[in-house]
Amino acid sequence: MSKELIEQALSTATDTKDIVFGTDVLDQTGVLFKRMFPGKKALVVADDNTFAAAGEPVVESLKAAGVEMLEPYVFPGTPTLYAGYENVEILREYMRPLTDSVVCSIASGSLNDIAKLASGELTRPYMNVCTAPSVDGYAAFGASIARDGFKNTRECPAPTALVADLRVIADSPKRLIATGYGDLIEKIPAGADWILADELGIESIDEYVWSLVQGSLSDALSDPDKIAEGDIDAITGLAEGNIMSGLAMQAAQSSRPASGAGHQFSHVWEMEGHGLDWEPPLSHGMKVGVGTVASCAIWEEALKLDIDSIDIDEVVAKSPSADDVEAKVRSLMIPRIADEAVKHTLSKHLEGEALRERVRAIKETWPRIKERATAQLISPDEVAEKLREAGAPFHPEMIGIDMDRFRTTHTKAQMIRARYTILDALVDLGLYDVIIERLFSPEGYWGKHPHQEG
């Protein structure tokens, strides 16, 4: 990551003020902490695994910089620390009386989110030393935390500063490297979803924010086999891509630059609690990778459609009422997420003249959508192969989702978020059920891939 690129991205970040990124840079942690939080004591927070990866050099660096240290708070490493709200509460209450301290977490995704939210709830800043290229959430605001089995993103600021040592990151467990790859590759169809929303005047593309995520995305994803091997040069691109995604979300004050329909598959499974009781818990990026294959397969079918032949009057006449839509959502969603899903789905639901205008806009802009999206996208087969080479799941069965449940998830994914994606355009056209049927027919993508291979 070039110094110029960091400085450019930091200039538009709302929370993060500095990032140290490179090989063998743990010794800069103390100087960075002292500059960001003058006069504050350091509370190092880690788990057994992350402390073993970077704890001693981080502590030594803080001491060498003259930072007053509190006794490190180290969670047990086994079972795998989960991003549950109970752990946020444990850390928050430990921190509460330590009013003159700032957390320096040594963490990958889950512990970073725990430290982020615990600090945020106490309205205190924090910084993080990254230990794996597993998430795009290091530099993002918000923390993905489960409470009572229900996982969603809770509001809190991004870190004030980050240290990302590439040697530590490259030495992280292979499953964490693979999950980072799964999270990053979804930025490809997420970009196509944003193009769609841009062409329809729903959510305009900010070219600067777009460049932060998409500018080096192809390069970052180009060597999945080397990434799986822990090659530092390849891991550099992966780590950079995920950190820049977080900074882009800060600049946009939205997750739109980094999240599209592929993420919505993951959100469904997370809200249903799938994999939360696994050891280790099924990671976000593992689910997102499978969602990315699904999203690209949906796009592939959508781009084959003859949009010109669509009869607008027929689409409007056949469209369901809001009551019908709500009933369908409630019939599919488990009770604890039904209300939220209804709210999001109805916020996108159009009828009558509004639907007529939307379908007309899709028809008019489809040639440009098709041209731009085709240039952005890769095929579902290519996504699956890249995930395979990176050591990440590429088929729903690999994450414990059978094909009947997977098919139903296609419908639920459109309902789980308000964000406009290809799923919503197909719903507006009255064609989403048709596309799902094609995908699961013997000739369709999932009909040809009914079981995991390899």
Side-chain angles (χ1 to χ4, degrees):
M1 188 186 290
S2 71
K3 186 175 176 60
E4 293 77 15
L5 190 60
I6 293 175
E7 289 177 352
Q8 180 189 40
L10 288 172
S11 70
T12 50
T14 52
D15 303 317
T16 306
K17 307 305 180 188
D18 204 354
I19 295 174
V20 175
F21 185 98
T23 304
D24 300 322
V25 295
L26 291 181
D27 61 355
Q28 298 182 39
T29 306
V31 171
L32 180 62
F33 184 97
K34 193 168 187 176
R35 186 168 73 250
M36 294 293 106
F37 316 113
K40 294 293 185 180
K41 298 174 183 176
L43 174 61
V44 169
V45 174
D47 65 24
D48 288 333
N49 300 317
T50 63
F51 197 85
E56 289 188 12
V58 166
V59 169
E60 287 306 312
S61 176
L62 288 162
K63 288 179 178 177
V67 175
E68 189 173 348
M69 296 278 301
L70 299 173
E71 185 68 22
Y73 187 92
V74 182
F75 284 93
T78 6
T80 303
L81 184 67
Y82 184 61
Y85 192 69
E86 65 278 7
N87 288 321
V88 175
E89 291 178 310
I90 289 167
L91 180 58
R92 183 193 65 213
E93 294 313 306
Y94 183 84
M95 294 164 54
R96 188 183 295 278
L98 308 174
T99 54
D100 59 348
S101 69
V102 170
V103 163
C104 174
S105 50
I106 304 173
S108 58
S110 294
L111 183 50
N112 177 57
D113 277 348
I114 290 167
K116 187 189 300 186
L117 186 56
S119 296
E121 288 188 348
L122 295 173
T123 63
R124 298 181 194 171
Y126 88 109
M127 66 177 280
N128 186 68
V129 178
C130 311
T131 58
S134 53
V135 290
D136 64 9
Y138 280 127
F141 57 87
S144 185
I145 298 290
R147 187 170 191 173
D148 300 324
F150 180 73
K151 191 171 188 178
N152 64 5
T153 300
R154 300 172 191 277
E155 290 187 12
C156 53
T160 301
L162 289 173
V163 176
D165 187 297
L166 294 167
R167 198 176 304 282
V168 173
I169 288 171
D171 286 341
S172 62
K174 289 186 180 299
R175 68 177 180 83
L176 296 181
I177 294 173
T179 196
Y181 194 90
D183 205 1
L184 190 63
I185 200 168
E186 205 273 327
K187 282 38 170 174
I188 295 175
D193 287 330
W194 199 3
I195 287 168
L196 171 71
D198 178 62
E199 286 288 352
L200 294 176
I202 295 168
E203 197 167 356
S204 298
I205 286 177
D206 180 311
E207 293 297 341
Y208 163 69
V209 173
W210 173 274
S211 72
L212 293 182
V213 176
Q214 300 290 336
S216 58
L217 183 59
S218 293
D219 288 343
L221 296 167
S222 64
D223 291 313
D225 51 344
K226 290 183 180 178
I227 285 172
E229 293 167 4
D231 178 87
I232 285 186
D233 289 340
I235 291 287
T236 298
L238 177 61
E240 176 181 327
N242 277 323
I243 288 173
M244 293 303 289
S245 293
L247 294 172
M249 287 187 266
Q250 285 191 52
Q253 281 297 286
S254 165
S255 60
R256 167 62 93 173
S259 176
H263 264 77
Q264 290 171 207
F265 280 77
S266 177
H267 294 154
V268 169
W269 296 323
E270 284 163 2
M271 290 189 174
E272 291 176 341
H274 182 68
L276 301 192
D277 56 349
W278 294 15
E279 177 51 41
L282 179 60
S283 70
H284 174 69
M286 298 290 191
K287 298 186 284 277
V288 171
V290 174
T292 304
V293 181
S295 178
C296 287
I298 292 164
W299 265 107
E300 189 172 66
E301 286 295 333
L303 293 173
K304 296 175 186 176
L305 291 170
D306 179 10
I307 300 294
D308 284 342
S309 68
I310 291 173
D311 185 315
I312 297 177
D313 291 334
E314 184 178 352
V315 172
V316 174
K318 290 183 176 180
S319 66
S321 68
D323 287 344
D324 291 337
V325 170
E326 178 170 352
K328 183 176 182 180
V329 174
R330 293 194 183 279
S331 73
L332 288 172
M333 295 297 191
I334 59 176
R336 70 170 177 239
I337 61 176
D339 287 346
E340 184 177 359
V342 166
K343 178 184 70 175
H344 290 321
T345 308
L346 291 182
S347 74
K348 302 181 286 187
H349 175 66
L350 299 177
E351 298 178 30
E353 194 57 34
L355 178 59
R356 188 182 306 278
E357 286 303 312
R358 172 64 52 75
V359 177
R360 183 179 293 120
I362 293 172
K363 291 187 70 169
E364 288 177 357
T365 59
W366 193 251
R368 292 197 302 276
I369 291 169
K370 188 171 183 178
E371 179 183 5
R372 293 176 66 190
T374 299
Q376 170 71 15
L377 290 161
I378 61 177
S379 73
D381 279 329
E382 189 174 350
V383 176
E385 182 57 29
K386 284 180 175 291
L387 289 167
R388 182 203 300 267
E389 290 179 6
F394 53 87
H395 189 282
E397 289 182 349
M398 299 174 78
I399 58 168
I401 301 288
D402 64 51
M403 293 305 281
D404 286 342
R405 181 177 180 183
F406 185 53
R407 179 170 180 156
T408 304
T409 303
H410 279 66
T411 303
K412 293 178 179 180
Q414 185 269 335
M415 302 170 170
I416 205 71
R417 289 288 186 266
R419 175 157 298 142
Y420 197 89
T421 70
I422 186 60
L423 313 185
D424 302 296
L426 293 170
V427 166
D428 286 342
L429 294 171
L431 293 174
Y432 192 32
D433 289 343
V434 173
I435 292 294
I436 294 172
E437 181 67 32
R438 288 182 188 175
L439 287 167
F440 287 86
S441 71
E443 299 77 31
Y445 184 81
W446 295 111
K448 293 176 181 176
H449 300 81
H451 303 292
Q452 73 180 68
E453 301 167 8

